[in-house]
């Protein structure tokens, strides 16, 4: 037989592939038969599918005497059918090989097509399964999302859409952090290696609403069990959390005042005591019982009584610090816990603040109501080591306070008797000092300052004195530290400045030339408001700045140096002189000292006392004088009481002195007399 041209063969091959791809059933059988007929140049050609004739090898449908060829279509042992051609007078070996080639090609095409069909079917099944699983996930009320190991979202179900308000298009591809409410942004955790975990977190919706969610995280792994991401399951638990908070509030807070109740107070006190124990701090518990409350409650009714308790709780909270505890124990009883105090008497100061907060009347529904309180105090660690003990002992101390002063009077008592006595004396002194300020019991004495060169009085230090109507003169060593610890030193300092300027005005009007009156300024007074107050006081009394000198202690200057220097510059700009008091007892740096705009360094009396017998005191005094000379400051020594001290200071170059060798502090009249005599006026 003559072989077909290559172009014909390729065309028939293409037709074969096209038929297998496009056709099915009888149409495919007919087309493959036609192709076999064409390829073999035979009048008759057939494709006989496997099993179509009920036998493994079908019989030819031609007369027995008709030449025919039959060829199995087989691929790797799988029979797809047979080709049968007939109608030619003779078929040789070349024809058989040609038909075998066609059968081989057909088997390969049918095999590939079969595999493609199975793959397509499997893919369709996978797609259907995925769609089914997606549908199941979307029907879940729970939010399910996945992310990679860096936190970028890779899937997002309908539950997540409903919970967060973001569609999958908006969420997939974004980092999970955009849903967070300022929480920890770390992703690496033990659950990546050890399985899932459950936690409660706060998350943010698209609307901006913050909600509570129960979050379960599980590792997402590949076929080799390597972690490739996370699966997150979230459920909104906001209602449950709110319910828990309501139950917690009911269990631990007083429903009337919203203050902690006795149960929570005990827990918080025990926690605070653990901290106080580690930091070696004192602590205390106060038991507060309101006076006259029962009368008000019984007379005006529970509604007004409840409102009074609410307002009392607000006043207590206002005068306490954020870290202090205040609780309502029930009825008209309250408790306060302090746990970072250095001395026990600080508790009595807080107790006084609490009593002072009740002084102003409570205006409730047209009623002008007044209540007081009795306060008992127990101190940790000496009175007790736990909340229950401290509260019980504070209760006992409260009853002691009520019995000692009467049921209607405001009173405070410590559980420990020695503390109680000291506290009562301190409170009496503090109360008396407040009265002294308002009842003109304070006065000034003036200690002259002498210039060593001329021996003349060049000024005086104004020293406050307290003349108590019953106890006489109270030493400054008793009330000045009290004034500093209670804050009254500011009011005392303001009074001293006012009184000194008033006296200077009187001397000015009496014809005395200006002398410098030194006024001590405490650390509490040394604020940015001081320069303006000094200027206003001088202007009010018509005084030149030459009449005034401010003495500032060394330790005052060592807090916020730049702010201090700014205040000092504003004072010196007024023309008022500045003196650095108690020099050498503090811790000022010489690098700062040269920047301070001061006129005078004052040698503290603790160094003057040992002169000239104590070599150390002599060395310190000489050094201070030398430093002052180098910085072009004058030097004054206080506490000079002997001629030997005076001789040493004079020989060392000291400029001025004050002390009992020359004069004790004098009342204004006596000082004026001494001044006139010294000046020869």
């Amino acid at each position: 037989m003559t072989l077909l041209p290559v172009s014909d063969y390729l065309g028939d091959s293409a037709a074969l592939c096209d038929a297998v791809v496009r056709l099915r059933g009888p149409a495919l059988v007919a087309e493959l038969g036609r192709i076999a007929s064409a390829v073999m140049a035979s009048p008759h050609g057939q494709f006989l599918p496997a099993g179509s004739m009920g036998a493994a090898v079908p019989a030819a449908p031609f007369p027995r005497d008709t030449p025919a060829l039959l060829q199995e279509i087989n691929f790797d042992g799988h029979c797809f059918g047979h080709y049968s051609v007939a109608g030619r007078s003779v078929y040789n070996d070349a024809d058989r090989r040609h038909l075998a080639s066609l059968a081989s090609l057909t088997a390969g095409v049918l095999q590939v097509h079969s595999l493609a069909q199975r793959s397509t079917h499997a893919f369709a099944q996978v797609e259907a399964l995925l769609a089914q699983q997606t549908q199941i996930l979307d029907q879940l009320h729970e939010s399910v999302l996945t992310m990679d190991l860096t936190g970028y979202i890779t899937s997002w179900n309908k539950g997540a859409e409903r919970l967060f308000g973001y569609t999958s298009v908006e969420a997939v591809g974004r980092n999970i952090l955009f849903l967070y409410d300022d929480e920890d942004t770390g992703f690496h955790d033990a659950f990546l290696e050890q399985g899932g975990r459950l936690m409660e977190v706060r998350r943010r919706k698209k609307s901006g609403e913050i909600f509570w969610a129960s979050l379960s995280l599980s590792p997402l792994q590949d076929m080799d069990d390597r972690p490739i991401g996370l699966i997150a399951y979230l459920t909104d638990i906001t209602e449950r959390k709110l319910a828990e908070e309501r139950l917690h509030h009911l269990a631990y807070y007083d429903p009337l005042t919203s203050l902690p109740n006795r149960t929570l107070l005990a827990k918080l006190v025990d926690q605070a005591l653990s901290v106080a124990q580690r930091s070696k701090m004192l602590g205390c518990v106060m038991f507060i019982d309101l006076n006259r409350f029962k009368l008000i409650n019984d007379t005006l009714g529970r509604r007004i009584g409840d409102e009074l308790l609410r307002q009392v709780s607000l006043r207590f909270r206002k005068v306490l610090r954020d870290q202090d505890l205040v609780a309502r124990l029930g009825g008209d009883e309250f408790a306060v816990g302090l746990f970072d105090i250095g001395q026990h008497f600080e508790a009595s100061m807080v107790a006084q603040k609490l009593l002072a907060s009740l002084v102003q009347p409570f205006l409730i529904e047209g009623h002008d109501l007044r209540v007081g309180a009795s306060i008992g105090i127990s101190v940790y660690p000496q009175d007790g080591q736990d909340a229950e003990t401290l509260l019980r002992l504070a209760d006992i101390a409260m009853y002691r306070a009520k019995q000692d002063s009467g049921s209607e009077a405001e009173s405070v008592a410590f559980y420990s008797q020695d503390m109680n006595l000291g506290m009562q004396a301190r409170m009496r002194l503090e109360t008396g000092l407040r009265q002294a300020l308002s009842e003109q019991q304070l006065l000034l004495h003036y200690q002259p300052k002498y210039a060593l060169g001329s021996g003349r009085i060049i000024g005086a230090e104004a020293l406050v004195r307290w003349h108590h109507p019953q106890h006489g003169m109270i030493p400054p060593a008793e009330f000045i530290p009290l004034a500093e610890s209670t804050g009254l030193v500011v009011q005392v300092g303001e009074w001293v400045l006012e009184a000194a300027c008033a006296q200077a005005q009187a001397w000015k009007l009496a014809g005395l030339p200006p002398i410098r009156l030194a006024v001590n300024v405490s650390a509490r007074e040394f604020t940015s408001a001081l320069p303006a107050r000094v200027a206003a006081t001088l202007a009010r009394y018509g005084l030149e700045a030459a009449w005034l000198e401010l003495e500032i202690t060394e330790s005052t200057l060592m807090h916020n140096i730049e702010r201090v220097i700014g205040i000092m510059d504003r004072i010196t700009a007024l023309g008022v002189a500045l003196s650095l008091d108690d020099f050498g007892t503090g811790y000022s740096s010489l690098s700062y000292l040269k920047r301070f705009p001061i006129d005078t360094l004052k040698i503290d009396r603790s160094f003057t006392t040992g002169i000239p017998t104590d070599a150390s005191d002599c060395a310190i005094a000489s050094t201070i004088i030398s430093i002052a000379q180098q910085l072009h400051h004058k030097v004054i020594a206080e506490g000079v009481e002997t001629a030997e001290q005076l001789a040493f200071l004079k020989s060392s170059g000291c400029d001025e002195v004050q002390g009992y060798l020359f004069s004790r502090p004098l009342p204004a009249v006596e000082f004026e007399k001494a001044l006139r005599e010294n000046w020869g006026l």
Side-chain angles (χ1 to χ4, degrees), residues 564-583:
V564 165
I565 293 176
I567 296 172
M568 295 175 76
D569 286 339
R570 290 169 58 196
I571 293 173
T572 56
L574 299 174
V576 175
L578 290 176
S579 174
L580 188 55
D581 196 7
D582 300 337
F583 184 73

Side-chain angles (χ1 to χ4, degrees), residues 203-465:
R203 292 293 182 261
R204 187 188 305 275
K205 295 186 178 183
K206 184 177 181 180
S207 63
E209 176 189 351
I210 304 300
F211 69 99
W212 279 99
S214 172
L215 170 63
S216 174
L217 289 173
S218 298
L220 183 64
Q221 297 174 325
D222 62 11
M223 298 296 291
D224 297 322
D225 293 331
R226 293 175 300 189
I228 58 173
L230 304 173
I231 307 171
Y233 306 89
L234 294 102
T235 304
D236 190 338
I237 59 169
T238 303
E239 287 299 323
R240 176 171 69 78
K241 292 292 290 186
L242 292 176
E244 288 176 356
E245 290 176 5
R246 287 192 292 268
L247 289 174
H248 181 272
H249 196 274
L250 289 173
Y252 292 107
Y253 289 86
D254 172 48
L256 178 63
T257 62
S258 294
L259 293 177
N261 60 16
R262 183 186 291 266
T263 302
L264 181 57
L265 175 70
K267 291 178 178 290
L268 296 176
V269 168
D270 284 332
Q271 291 173 7
L273 290 179
S274 299
V275 177
Q277 183 180 25
R278 291 193 297 269
S279 58
K280 307 298 183 183
M281 295 293 289
L282 296 178
C284 77
V285 171
M286 300 182 187
F287 196 106
I288 307 169
D289 182 76
L290 299 183
N291 300 333
R292 298 183 293 277
F293 174 77
K294 187 177 186 302
L295 176 63
I296 294 172
N297 198 52
D298 292 344
T299 304
L300 300 178
R302 183 172 178 177
R303 187 181 72 257
I304 290 180
D306 286 349
E307 180 58 28
L308 176 59
L309 291 173
R310 278 191 289 268
Q311 292 194 23
V312 167
S313 70
L314 291 175
R315 290 195 186 182
F316 283 171
R317 184 70 270 174
K318 187 175 182 179
V319 299
L320 294 170
R321 302 167 302 176
D322 291 340
Q323 63 265 36
D324 298 333
L325 299 177
V326 57
R328 182 183 176 223
L329 304 179
D332 61 349
E333 295 175 341
F334 294 83
V336 169
L338 310 174
F339 300 100
D340 57 351
I341 57 177
Q343 299 290 333
H344 72 271
F345 66 78
E346 295 176 22
S348 65
M349 296 167 54
V350 176
Q352 289 299 311
K353 288 182 179 180
L354 293 170
L355 293 177
S357 72
L358 302 176
V359 171
Q360 292 298 320
F362 296 85
L363 302 177
I364 302 174
E365 296 186 14
H367 299 284
D368 189 333
L369 306 178
R370 298 174 185 269
V371 293
S374 297
I375 302 178
I377 306 174
S378 60
V379 177
Y380 167 86
Q382 67 183 62
D383 292 338
Q385 303 285 327
D386 59 82
E388 182 181 353
T389 302
L390 290 172
L391 194 58
R392 176 172 56 82
L393 298 183
D395 190 6
I396 295 173
M398 184 276 296
Y399 276 105
R400 179 187 298 164
K402 193 178 288 286
Q403 291 169 358
D404 290 345
S405 61
S407 61
E408 297 298 311
E410 289 73 27
S411 56
V412 180
F414 280 94
Y415 176 76
S416 300
Q417 190 61 31
D418 56 342
M419 288 186 184
N420 206 34
L421 293 174
M423 179 271 298
Q424 290 175 357
R426 184 182 179 86
M427 287 174 56
R428 285 195 296 270
L429 191 63
E430 180 182 347
T431 301
L433 184 55
R434 293 182 187 276
Q435 292 176 344
L437 283 164
S438 60
E439 297 177 6
Q440 304 300 315
Q441 296 176 16
L442 300 182
L443 64 153
L444 289 181
H445 283 185
Y446 302 88
Q447 185 169 36
K449 295 182 178 182
Y450 290 83
L452 288 179
S454 63
R456 300 187 63 180
I457 297 175
I458 46 85
E461 181 177 1
L463 300 169
V464 64
R465 296 292 184 263

Side-chain angles (χ1 to χ4, degrees), residues 102-121:
L102 177 62
S104 177
L105 174 62
T106 303
V109 173
L110 288 174
Q111 175 69 13
V112 171
H113 184 258
S114 176
L115 292 175
Q117 281 187 310
R118 287 199 297 270
S119 297
T120 301
H121 180 67

